[in-house]
């Protein structure tokens, strides 16, 4: 492959990878949550204590919040900036796997590793959604890459690589917590036991490495614990041990769950990568460190750890994908033509089935999804399936001609484009899955400083789009811990909300359609200002008499609003004497 063509492919990948970040509305719940927390950091100026809807939110560390808040400060608040961190760390992961493959096994291995990673379905999707998993995966990749190269060369060079590994590990902990330490430790112990090789432990640079780790990772944990004494117990005990050992978060899935996630998430490489895994264990020279075996054990340890956990979600196994891509980059071009054609034939059947079944999404039309919404999804799915089928057929032709590396490149291009098309197609469902259209309708009517209630449900994406927080009514959602710390910031019952609403001169509220119809039937005064497939946004009609002119005492008849704490990020409400409510 010529250098010019390689550059063209990298530029095209970057254009597709970053060019679509703002083409979709944020999707509840994760995208709304992880876009809003850094927005509130910028609004409040407090970069130590993460807050969601103005409540303390300690489920995850702060690195991604800081990165996104910095992006908001530099580029403004928007969907592109909100998704920039996962997209950037995902693209850097592709570059790193390319560079690592080249250094370990040559240029072809590097190119193919990058192609595999850049086109694996789960990796592409999580590179374009706002979750914390891509940042964790990238910094873990930095850590094990540094470890791999620390096992080679002179002692001084080894020490520099290990310091990079310790730094990557610290940033991984700041991305998502102590799970980073568990995964790295389990892999290292497993490699030592299975290979009866203690040599990697001799190159860990433990004193300098641990000092660097603590310098990077410890300051925020200390600062947030000093500012919030309740943080250590919630973060270290509840969010780690309770989450792993129990089903407290109601994410329990069967033991085979992650096999299904891999089978779908590794497309279009699923069977080819399994084939390369079987080849990776056998290639090992006695008495030497084996990068292949270490990567294989990294995959097994990560897969096994999350499989036995009481909390399972598809993004959890994302850290295995860079290692899978590296092993695939070394072996995939050398697989037999028979293995390639068998895999591609199965992919062709899947793509043809997707092409035939895509129109059936129209049968989902109903209260949640309109026919017009699903027609848009269908068109994108048809395009994605057609691109996928065309790339598979082209790859089959190239394999028949014994051009395996070219076939892999074509298959990767098809994978990137078809997954990107599927993501863009999903945006046709945004009036159900996001509050963007609801906020766009309401924003011309919204005025700062007035109470704003979220009744019986908390819509995660709405605060980001209206750039203010809401007073939650009769729902705790995932904010029960924060509500326990600051109970004065919420309203526990709808009856109490009715009293507040009656006393407010002007106010707004958002609620699901059923709750709106129920309250309207009960005679609660509300004027609808916006509606989508799930929610209605209302304002209270201003029926109070005009305020009297203030006398010498400065008194007035206007009814004060809610405390300013109910609208972080917006101008605080003020009583008519000029003092904060």
């Amino acid at each position: 492959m010529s250098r010019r063509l390689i550059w063209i492919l990298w530029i095209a990948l970057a254009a597709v990878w970053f060019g679509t970040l703002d083409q979709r509305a944020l999707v509840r719940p994760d995208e709304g949550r992880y876009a809003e927390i850094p927005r509130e950091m910028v609004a409040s100026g407090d970069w130590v204590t993460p807050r969601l809807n103005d409540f303390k939110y300690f489920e995850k560390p702060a690195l991604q919040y800081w990165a996104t808040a910095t992006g908001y400060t530099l580029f403004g608040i928007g969907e592109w900036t909100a998704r920039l961190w996962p997209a950037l760390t995902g693209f850097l992961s592709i570059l790193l796997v390319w560079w690592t493959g080249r250094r370990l096994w040559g240029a072809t291995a590097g190119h193919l590793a990058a192609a595999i990673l850049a086109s694996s379905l789960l990796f592409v999707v999580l590179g374009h959604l706002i979750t914390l998993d891509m940042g964790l995966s990238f910094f873990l990749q930095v850590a094990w890459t540094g470890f791999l190269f620390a096992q080679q060369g002179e002692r001084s060079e080894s020490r520099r690589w290990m310091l990079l590994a310790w730094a990557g590990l610290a940033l991984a902990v700041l991305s998502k917590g102590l799970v980073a330490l568990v995964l790295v430790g389990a892999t290292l112990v497993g490699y030592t036991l299975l290979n009866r090789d203690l040599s990697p432990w001799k190159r860990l640079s433990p004193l300098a490495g641990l000092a660097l780790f603590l310098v990077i990772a410890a300051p925020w944990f200390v600062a947030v614990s000093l500012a919030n004494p309740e943080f250590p117990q919630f973060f270290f005990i509840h969010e780690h041990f309770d989450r792993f050992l129990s089903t407290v978060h109601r994410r329990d899935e069967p033991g085979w769950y992650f096999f299904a996630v891999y089978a779908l998430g590794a497309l279009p490489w699923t069977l080819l990568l399994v084939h390369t895994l079987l080849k990776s264990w056998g290639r090992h020279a006695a008495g030497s460190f084996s990068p292949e075996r270490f990567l294989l054990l990294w995959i097994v340890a990560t897969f096994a750890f999350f499989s036995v956990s009481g909390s399972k979600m598809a993004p959890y196994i994302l850290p295995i994908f860079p290692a899978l891509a590296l092993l695939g980059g070394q072996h995939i071009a050398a697989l037999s033509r028979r293995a390639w054609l068998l895999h591609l034939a199965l992919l062709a059947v899947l793509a043809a089935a997707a092409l035939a079944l895509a129109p059936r999404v129209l049968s989902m039309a109903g209260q949640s999804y309109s026919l017009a919404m699903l027609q848009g999804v269908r068109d994108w799915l048809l395009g994605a399936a057609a691109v996928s089928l065309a790339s598979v057929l082209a790859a089959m032709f190239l394999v028949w001609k014994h051009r395996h590396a070219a076939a892999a490149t074509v298959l990767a291009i098809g994978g990137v484009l078809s997954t990107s098309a599927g993501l863009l197609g999903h945006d046709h469902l945004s009036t159900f899955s996001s509050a963007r259209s609801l906020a766009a309708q309401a924003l011309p009517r919204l005025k700062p400083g007035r109470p704003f209630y979220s009744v019986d449900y908390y819509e995660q994406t709405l605060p980001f789009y209206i750039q203010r927080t809401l007073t939650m009514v009769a729902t705790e959602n995932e904010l029960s811990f924060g509500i326990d710390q600051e109970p004065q910031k919420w309203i526990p019952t709808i009856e109490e909300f009715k009293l507040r609403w009656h006393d407010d001169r002007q106010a707004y509220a958002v609620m699901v359609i059923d709750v709106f119809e129920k309250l309207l039937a009960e005679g609660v005064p509300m004027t609808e200002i916006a509606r989508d497939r799930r929610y209605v946004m209302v304002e209270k009609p201003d029926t109070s008499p005009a305020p009297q002119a203030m006398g010498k005492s400065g008194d007035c008849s206007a009814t004060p609003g809610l405390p300013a704490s109910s609208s972080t990020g917006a101008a605080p409400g003020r009583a008519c004497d000029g003092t904060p409510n």
Side-chain angles (χ1 to χ4, degrees):
M1 192 179 298
S2 69
R3 184 183 297 270
R4 182 178 180 181
L5 178 58
I6 290 171
W7 273 106
I8 290 174
L9 290 174
W10 276 110
I11 293 171
L13 175 63
V16 173
W17 196 267
F18 292 102
T20 59
L21 295 180
D22 59 351
Q23 300 301 304
R24 297 174 290 110
L26 300 185
V27 178
R28 74 172 70 87
D30 286 4
E31 289 208 297
R33 178 195 308 122
Y34 295 129
E36 173 64 10
I37 293 172
R39 188 200 69 80
E40 292 185 35
M41 278 188 169
V42 174
S44 68
D46 182 0
W47 290 45
V48 172
T49 301
R51 289 181 176 271
L52 176 60
N53 198 41
D54 202 30
F55 289 103
K56 296 178 181 180
Y57 190 82
F58 293 151
E59 293 198 8
K60 298 295 183 288
L63 179 59
Q64 182 161 324
Y65 307 150
W66 294 336
T68 305
T70 301
Y72 290 160
T73 303
L74 295 175
F75 308 120
I77 297 173
E79 293 149 344
W80 191 89
T81 318
R83 292 189 176 112
L84 181 58
W85 184 247
L88 180 61
T89 51
F91 195 80
L92 290 175
S93 184
I94 298 167
L95 285 171
L96 182 57
V97 85
W98 166 77
W99 181 84
T100 305
R102 283 176 59 92
R103 186 179 175 98
L104 287 174
W105 301 306
T108 299
H111 295 323
L112 291 178
I116 292 167
L117 188 61
S119 56
S120 295
L121 188 149
L122 184 65
F123 191 86
V124 177
V125 169
L126 292 179
H128 294 81
L129 292 179
I130 312 173
T131 71
L132 307 183
D133 300 279
M134 188 60 79
L136 171 68
S137 177
F138 171 66
F139 288 116
L140 285 173
Q141 183 185 353
V142 170
W144 56 250
T145 299
F147 176 83
L148 290 180
F149 290 122
Q151 310 311 308
Q152 307 170 5
E154 299 296 327
R155 182 70 65 176
S156 59
E157 183 181 6
S158 171
R159 187 172 183 271
R160 289 194 293 271
W161 282 115
M162 271 311 307
L163 291 178
L164 175 66
W166 282 101
L169 186 58
L171 292 170
V173 169
L174 278 175
S175 294
K176 209 174 179 183
L178 302 183
V179 65
L181 299 176
V182 175
L183 297 179
V184 171
T187 305
L188 181 56
V189 170
Y191 181 89
T192 302
L193 294 177
L194 289 175
N195 290 277
R196 300 178 182 179
D197 181 9
L198 292 173
S199 61
W201 295 84
K202 300 175 182 178
R203 296 197 172 206
L204 289 182
S205 300
L207 296 180
L210 184 59
L212 179 61
F213 175 89
L214 292 174
V215 166
I216 296 173
W220 177 74
F221 287 102
V222 173
V224 73
S225 298
L226 291 175
N228 307 275
E230 66 275 19
F231 171 84
Q233 192 281 333
F234 180 84
F235 180 82
F236 293 109
I237 304 301
H238 178 77
E239 281 302 301
H240 286 80
F241 293 100
D242 288 350
R243 182 187 288 266
F244 181 81
L245 296 173
S246 72
T247 58
V248 64
H249 289 277
R250 291 175 295 192
R251 296 170 181 169
D252 51 314
E253 301 289 349
W256 49 262
Y257 175 73
F258 285 119
F259 289 98
V261 172
Y262 166 78
L264 182 62
L267 288 174
W269 310 99
T270 304
L271 293 180
L272 289 175
L273 291 178
V274 171
H275 203 149
T276 65
L277 288 178
L278 298 177
K279 288 179 169 289
S280 298
W281 184 259
R283 295 194 174 188
H284 174 54
S288 64
F289 176 80
S290 171
E292 290 176 277
R293 285 195 173 187
F294 183 85
L295 291 171
L296 183 58
L297 286 169
W298 170 261
I299 293 166
V300 171
T302 303
F303 201 93
F305 174 80
F306 289 115
S307 292
V308 301
S309 169
S311 179
K312 297 181 179 71
M313 293 185 70
Y316 289 177
I317 63 166
L318 183 68
I320 74 173
F321 279 79
L324 280 168
L326 264 180
L327 295 177
Q330 184 188 14
H331 295 295
I332 214 166
L335 292 179
S336 67
R337 185 167 69 169
R338 179 183 176 183
W340 265 97
L341 290 176
L342 176 61
H343 177 72
L344 291 172
L346 291 173
L347 282 180
V349 171
L350 288 176
L355 197 59
L357 294 175
R360 298 189 64 177
V361 301
L362 299 181
S363 64
M364 298 170 59
Q367 183 177 358
S368 299
Y369 308 129
S370 70
L371 184 61
M373 293 163 63
L374 293 170
Q375 286 172 338
V377 174
R378 176 204 58 191
D379 294 343
W380 279 99
L381 289 180
L382 286 171
V387 168
S388 179
L389 182 58
S391 67
V392 171
L393 294 176
M396 292 179 74
F397 174 79
L398 291 169
V399 167
W400 188 258
K401 295 293 186 179
H402 297 282
R403 298 178 60 189
H404 293 184
T409 302
V410 169
L411 193 62
I413 293 171
V416 172
L417 294 179
S418 60
T419 304
S420 299
L423 284 170
L424 291 172
H426 185 270
D427 193 56
H428 285 275
L429 306 179
S430 63
T431 53
F432 180 79
S433 61
S434 174
R436 180 173 67 177
S437 65
L438 186 76
Q441 296 173 55
L443 277 172
R445 300 282 295 270
L446 300 182
K447 295 180 173 57
R450 295 180 179 177
F452 202 137
Y453 303 97
S454 180
V455 182
D456 204 35
Y457 193 84
Y458 174 58
E459 166 52 53
Q460 294 270 21
T461 62
L462 183 59
F464 174 83
Y465 283 115
I466 62 174
Q467 296 198 23
R468 60 163 292 167
T469 57
L470 311 173
T471 299
M472 294 169 64
V473 177
T475 180
E476 297 184 24
N477 198 263
E478 62 182 306
L479 295 174
S480 57
F481 172 80
I483 289 172
D484 288 343
Q485 306 305 310
E486 300 173 296
Q488 74 280 5
K489 290 185 177 181
W490 83 306
I491 300 174
T493 67
I494 291 183
E495 292 306 314
E496 185 176 340
F497 159 71
K498 292 178 184 178
L499 295 176
R500 295 271 197 109
W501 187 259
H502 178 270
D503 291 340
D504 290 326
R505 177 179 174 185
Q506 293 176 313
Y508 307 102
V510 62
M511 60 201 74
V512 295
I513 295 172
D514 290 347
V515 172
F516 167 72
E517 292 175 348
K518 179 181 177 182
L519 293 178
L520 202 61
E522 293 174 359
V524 177
M526 298 180 292
T527 300
E528 179 177 326
I529 60 174
R531 178 188 288 254
D532 64 11
R533 305 291 295 190
R534 287 174 63 104
Y535 300 105
V536 175
M537 193 179 296
V538 300
E539 65 179 351
K540 182 186 177 185
D542 185 4
T543 57
S544 60
Q548 301 296 318
M550 289 191 299
K552 294 181 180 179
S553 64
D555 293 335
C556 63
S557 60
T559 303
L562 284 182
S565 62
S566 66
S567 59
T568 299
R574 292 186 175 272
C576 53
D577 62 356
T579 59
N581 291 330

